Amino acid sequence: MSHKIIALLSALLFSFAPVNADFSPWLFNVYAIDSIGTPAQAYGSSIQGIVGAGNNAYFNGASIHSNAGAGPGTAYSLYTGGKAVWTSGNVQNGGIDAGGNVTISSTSVNGNISSGGKLTGTSGNISGNVTLAQTNQASPSLTISGTLQENTPYTPSINLSAVSAFFQNASSTWAAMSTNVLAVNNFGQLLVTVLTPGMNFLNLTAAQFNSYWGMNFIGTNASNLVINITDTNFSGTLNNLVYSFTGGMTSSNLLVNANSATNILISGQNASLLAPNALITFPSGQVTGNLVANNLRGAGSVVSGSFSGFASIAVPEPSTYLILGSMLLICIYAARRKINITA
């Protein structure tokens, strides 16, 4: 077995490491596989639930996690694998867990901060404790109500690589499914009958999706529907349709999945939107439920909620992690024996 194969197995092992024993990925109200905002254009709006980014997150004039019931029972409302930069606003009902530096300016953080880097900033208040892998370089006008620990080894509380893999797997798995519901055009409104409990699928091109002014879904709250946008490398606008529900089905049973999209402009969705390979530009409007992108830009607001169908996609358990770890060790041992024998 080559070193390349060993490296691949190591990467797979890391990707499938447990997310967190008390955390489900779909509890993220907003999640970006890469980054939220940019240094030049920070994201600025209200997000009612918790937020995560595999890389960096930049916010300006924003508020998150105002709905205390819209997240896990952890100390954090924002999780990043890289930097967390916040200028003006509020981090409510929890703090910040960042793999890189944390910068706070004119912002109130209602919780703890745990950082794999340093703390910088000019003003604001942190109501909890601050634990840094490096040092506190913030201005004294950024007050810390709790304790400060510097030069402390950092351990992320959430495996964001596993969260990203979860959303990518869900999107690609559902994108491969065939339509199994009845859909009829009724003068520009699509009537969709969803009678089967569990997961259901409706495949539409972006042009077909955008051709309707609204959709009426008929089904129970035991039926989940994924609308797949089937275009390859789609780049364009997804309209904000008027959704109505009959028979017990609600917006929590609906998700729009744009697995192959690379660039999407939206003005909102009254349902969850999953586009893990796309740059989503969301300048204004409202999304209700999960909003998952590769990169997210804009200032649209997001109302807390979650697509109930995410629970049908398996989240790696610690036992799976241990099995994969054992397999990796066996492979490494076998490879080294082969190398020693042939040396």
Side-chain angles (χ1 to χ4, degrees), residues 36-332:
I36 300 173
T38 68
Q41 188 179 11
Y43 197 88
S45 190
S46 169
I47 299 171
Q48 288 189 348
I50 65 168
V51 179
N55 196 5
N56 303 320
Y58 302 88
F59 289 92
N60 186 4
S63 171
I64 67 168
H65 205 187
S66 60
N67 184 352
T74 72
Y76 306 107
S77 297
L78 173 66
Y79 300 82
T80 73
K83 298 177 182 178
V85 180
W86 208 295
T87 304
S88 180
N90 296 281
V91 179
Q92 303 183 62
N93 294 301
I96 298 173
D97 181 354
N101 297 335
V102 175
T103 300
I104 301 296
S105 299
S106 302
T107 297
S108 174
V109 180
N110 184 21
N112 303 323
I113 288 182
S114 177
S115 167
K118 60 188 177 182
L119 176 66
T120 62
T122 56
S123 61
N125 174 261
I126 300 166
S127 67
N129 303 322
V130 174
T131 306
L132 306 172
Q134 297 181 28
T135 58
N136 177 23
Q137 300 179 19
S139 164
S141 60
L142 176 58
T143 62
I144 300 172
S145 299
T147 60
L148 170 64
Q149 296 184 66
E150 300 174 293
N151 302 310
T152 301
Y154 168 76
T155 301
S157 58
I158 297 292
N159 183 342
L160 295 176
S161 294
V163 173
S164 296
F166 171 86
F167 285 124
Q168 290 167 325
N169 179 51
S171 182
S172 60
T173 297
W174 292 335
M177 299 300 178
S178 301
T179 296
N180 67 342
V181 297
L182 177 64
V184 178
N185 185 358
N186 182 36
F187 300 103
Q189 183 187 46
L190 191 65
L191 303 180
V192 184
T193 304
V194 188
L195 296 181
T196 304
M199 296 301 300
N200 295 271
F201 304 92
L202 172 62
N203 295 340
L204 300 172
T205 65
Q208 289 172 327
F209 182 91
N210 288 337
S211 69
Y212 303 109
W213 62 262
M215 296 184 182
N216 181 30
F217 302 96
I218 304 168
T220 71
N221 59 8
S223 298
N224 296 310
L225 177 65
V226 174
I227 300 177
N228 286 315
I229 305 300
T230 59
D231 309 58
T232 301
N233 298 323
F234 170 69
S235 178
T237 300
L238 283 183
N239 291 344
N240 187 12
L241 306 185
V242 177
Y243 296 143
S244 57
F245 302 90
T246 305
M249 192 174 178
T250 69
S251 61
S252 66
N253 301 115
L254 178 64
L255 176 137
V256 177
N257 179 35
N259 177 255
S260 295
T262 58
N263 199 319
I264 303 175
L265 173 65
I266 63 171
S267 60
Q269 281 289 317
N270 187 29
S272 295
L273 175 60
L274 175 61
N277 301 304
L279 164 62
I280 293 181
T281 302
F282 183 24
S284 62
Q286 179 176 290
V287 166
T288 300
N290 305 105
L291 177 58
V292 180
N294 186 266
N295 287 281
L296 178 63
R297 308 285 184 265
S301 66
V302 186
V303 176
S304 60
S306 179
F307 175 55
S308 57
F310 277 128
S312 68
I313 299 292
V315 179
E317 296 290 338
S319 58
T320 303
Y321 178 61
L322 292 173
I323 292 171
L324 288 171
S326 300
M327 291 174 62
L328 176 61
L329 291 174
I330 291 170
C331 290
I332 292 173

